[in-house]
Amino acid sequence: MIARRTIYIASLVAIAAFLALFIFLSALSAQPPGEGPPGAPGGPGGGGGGGGLSYSETHADALLEKTYSEYLAEHGLPTQPVPQALLVDDKGEPVTRTDSAWHQLEKLYSRDAEAEAKPSEVPGRVGKVLLRDMQTQLAVIKKENVAMIRAAGAAAGGFTFKVGYPKYEPAGVTSAGATLRIGLIMRVNKSLSQNYGATVYRLLKPYDNYGADRVPFTFVTYQGGYYRPQTFMLHPTSVAIWNSIWATPTVVLVLKDVNGNLIASGSQSAGFTGNIPTLIAYPPEIRRTPAFAYLMPEDDKTFGGGKMNLDYTRGWYYEFTFSLSLENLARMDRASAGIVMPPSQIMLDAVSQAKTYEEILPALQPRLTAWVNEQVQAFGMPKPKPGAAPPPPVAGQEMPVVGAGAPPGGVQQLVPGGAGAGYALPPPVTAGAGVPL
């Protein structure tokens, strides 16, 4: 019953659809001529009687059209490789178009010209591999420079000082004042002496390899109770950075009164060179000349009392000279010393800002000198309170900040009487002098 009803309804729907189509076609055939859709036979523009389709072209306003030369001159543009056939008509007369039309033609043909000019820039099979290897090499050199800076910065804070008792020459005392000589011993902490070589080894070992562009870098490590020599083959730029860094440490000595106010200060180069890992592991020995001469009490006395243990001590000996008035001389109560070493961060900034590794060293040297000079000037000054003005420059005698190479290894001979610096230094290196690669 349900199936029969479904068939009946479907038949009615089919008959209704057929009748609707028949009525629509009858209405079209009954439409009078000239009222059909545009372009249809018999319609407007259709030609009637089954004629073909027609079209019309609407030109832009003549005032908006211009030749290609006029378009270029008006906009100040260079000539693009537009084909000549699109610039002139069949009679050889210049074709006029709107700005938009000329712009589209230029964009099309300039893109084709760029595509034709670039085939030589496409890397070849061999060149692509070589370029990738060279870029990798430059990246590794930059990482090696960073590792060298970190290795140099690892020695900060590993030195201690003993300040000697002031000495003066009786013949040099006047009513205006006197000249004092103060000796200073800088020693290496035991932990730094034994571990620094291993730190340098760990940081630089990944970059040790042989090649035509490598130079030897020799240092000493401490292992199993023995000092072991090591030699790495590193890039010349890294070694030059190392030498430049270790030429900048500066030893500073300040004199203060009871209240901690600064009386005078002096500074001189620490005298280090690139051989510093070996000297840290096995510092030079300080001896007097002759070897069996006895030390006078004030020669072996520290500024704050106690023995200085000057003879046969391993470390570096420095001597400072101060010219003080009798008033300032009477105020002198304490002395402190330290070594100013540039932090790794300012050196890493020079590496990160350099576009090529050739720019690292020229950018690094003035940064090191400026930072050390600033810190030497502020050494011993009280820290300013928040919002307070910066402290004034340090008063007193200022010695050259950037010094020369290190003292010779082995024994440091002190001249009789304690006069002199304790060892002869080479000529000073100026701040702007380049470090040879």
Side-chain angles (χ1 to χ4, degrees):
M1 188 68 180
I2 296 176
R4 186 179 299 174
R5 183 182 300 174
T6 302
I7 295 173
Y8 176 74
I9 294 174
S11 301
L12 289 178
V13 173
I15 293 171
F18 178 76
L19 290 175
L21 179 62
F22 178 77
I23 294 171
F24 176 73
L25 293 176
S26 299
L28 287 178
S29 62
Q31 186 176 4
E35 296 183 5
L53 299 175
S54 64
Y55 72 95
S56 62
E57 182 179 357
T58 302
H59 292 280
D61 190 345
L63 297 177
L64 300 177
E65 292 187 335
K66 60 199 71 173
T67 63
Y68 185 56
S69 300
E70 293 172 346
Y71 166 77
L72 295 178
E74 182 177 341
H75 296 278
L77 299 173
T79 303
Q80 297 294 341
V82 179
Q84 189 68 18
L86 299 176
L87 301 179
V88 297
D89 56 15
D90 297 339
K91 299 179 182 180
E93 297 294 331
V95 176
T96 59
R97 289 187 175 87
T98 61
D99 283 358
S100 178
W102 287 124
H103 176 70
Q104 293 178 17
L105 285 174
E106 275 198 331
K107 188 176 181 181
L108 175 64
Y109 288 100
S110 63
R111 191 176 298 170
D112 293 343
E114 291 177 2
E116 294 177 359
K118 285 185 177 178
S120 60
E121 299 178 7
V122 178
R125 179 175 55 85
V126 177
K128 183 178 181 180
V129 176
L130 291 175
L131 179 62
R132 181 186 61 196
D133 292 344
M134 292 178 184
Q135 290 175 339
T136 302
Q137 176 182 344
L138 295 177
V140 171
I141 291 174
K142 194 169 184 178
K143 289 183 178 180
E144 181 181 327
N145 297 157
V146 172
M148 185 66 82
I149 290 174
R150 295 190 185 280
F159 300 91
T160 57
F161 295 85
K162 278 190 175 182
V163 182
Y165 195 78
K167 297 180 286 292
Y168 66 93
E169 295 294 336
V173 177
T174 65
S175 58
T179 300
L180 301 181
R181 290 184 292 105
I182 301 179
L184 177 68
I185 294 179
M186 181 175 70
R187 295 192 295 188
V188 183
N189 293 337
K190 186 176 181 180
S191 59
L192 179 65
S193 177
Q194 295 183 356
N195 299 327
Y196 187 59
T199 301
V200 175
Y201 186 98
R202 175 177 53 83
L203 291 173
L204 300 182
K205 180 58 179 177
Y207 308 99
D208 174 27
N209 63 85
Y210 289 91
D213 63 334
R214 318 299 284 181
V215 294
F217 180 80
T218 302
F219 60 101
V220 171
T221 60
Y222 182 87
Q223 184 178 4
Y226 297 94
Y227 294 101
R228 304 173 185 272
Q230 308 285 345
T231 299
F232 287 168
M233 301 302 295
L234 303 178
H235 193 269
T237 305
S238 299
V239 178
I241 290 175
W242 174 270
N243 292 334
S244 181
I245 292 173
W246 281 108
T248 57
T250 302
V251 177
V252 184
L253 175 64
V254 296
L255 305 178
K256 296 183 178 182
D257 61 12
V258 177
N259 298 321
N261 296 321
L262 185 66
I263 296 175
S265 69
S267 61
Q268 59 180 285
S269 169
F272 293 150
T273 62
N275 193 35
I276 189 63
T278 301
L279 295 177
I280 287 178
Y282 197 76
E285 189 177 77
I286 301 173
R287 294 183 187 175
R288 287 179 59 84
T289 306
F292 298 102
Y294 290 99
L295 295 176
M296 299 297 291
E298 65 272 11
D299 289 340
D300 199 37
K301 182 181 177 182
T302 64
F303 196 96
K307 294 195 66 175
M308 196 175 185
N309 296 323
L310 178 63
D311 223 0
Y312 300 103
T313 293
R314 289 201 170 275
W316 291 266
Y317 180 83
Y318 306 93
E319 193 163 87
F320 292 82
T321 302
F322 297 96
S323 296
L324 301 178
S325 65
L326 295 181
E327 179 183 359
N328 286 334
L329 185 70
R331 292 171 48 218
M332 188 169 51
D333 180 74
R334 66 191 69 171
S336 60
I339 182 170
V340 176
M341 297 179 62
S344 300
Q345 189 57 49
I346 66 167
M347 298 180 280
L348 294 176
D349 290 342
V351 175
S352 62
Q353 294 176 8
K355 296 181 180 179
T356 63
Y357 71 85
E358 292 91 346
E359 299 177 2
I360 294 176
L361 194 60
L364 180 62
Q365 287 178 325
R367 282 172 177 258
L368 293 176
T369 304
W371 189 89
V372 170
N373 284 334
E374 179 182 352
Q375 296 302 312
V376 167
Q377 292 293 324
F379 192 90
M381 297 294 293
K383 294 183 179 180
K385 297 180 180 179
V394 174
Q397 181 182 6
E398 295 298 339
M399 304 181 70
V401 172
V402 178
V411 178
Q412 294 184 32
Q413 297 289 349
L414 303 184
V415 298
Y423 48 78
L425 293 177
V429 177
T430 59
V435 179
L437 299 179

